[in-house]
Amino acid sequence: VVDMGIITGIEADEENNTAIVKMTPTFVGCPAINYMQQQIKKTVEDLGLNKVQVIVDFEKRWNSNLITETGRKQLEQFRLSPPPKHNG
C-alpha cells in the first residue's frame, strides 16, 4: 500500500504509543477499503503501538503518479501493466 501510493500520511506519537495513518484508496468505491484499513491497523499495531487509527482521506486524490518505482516493478512482476505517468 505504501508503494502503490495509498498511504498518504503518518503521524506517530512514540511517547504515547499511538499513530494516525491516512490512506487514499485508488477509487472512491473501492471494495477493499475496509479490508485495507484493518490490515494497515493490524500491521502498525504489530510494531508495538497501542492505539492506531486509520483514516480514509479523500483530500488528496489518488492517481497513478503516486506509485513508486518499486511499486511499478512489483506490478510488472505480477504481470500487470503499470499505468503511465501523466503531467496533469
Side-chain angles (χ1 to χ4, degrees):
V1 292
V2 172
D3 286 320
M4 289 298 294
I6 292 171
I7 301 296
T8 57
I10 300 171
E11 296 174 29
D13 182 346
E14 292 181 38
E15 195 172 296
N16 293 314
N17 275 347
T18 63
I20 297 172
V21 180
K22 288 185 179 180
M23 64 172 277
T24 300
T26 56
F27 66 98
V28 175
C30 176
I33 291 174
N34 290 335
Y35 178 78
M36 285 190 292
Q37 274 184 292
Q38 293 168 2
Q39 292 302 305
I40 293 166
K41 184 176 191 292
K42 180 186 180 317
T43 299
V44 176
E45 286 174 342
D46 287 348
L47 296 173
L49 292 154
N50 296 328
K51 184 179 178 188
V52 178
Q53 183 180 10
V54 180
I55 299 171
V56 178
D57 179 29
F58 295 102
E59 187 175 322
K60 180 180 182 179
R61 289 185 176 169
W62 184 90
N63 67 69
S64 58
N65 287 351
L66 297 173
I67 303 172
T68 66
E69 287 306 313
T70 300
R72 291 178 178 285
K73 289 176 185 173
Q74 289 172 342
L75 287 170
E76 288 173 355
Q77 288 173 348
F78 283 104
R79 298 184 181 191
L80 296 171
S81 178
K85 289 190 175 189
H86 59 86
N87 297 321

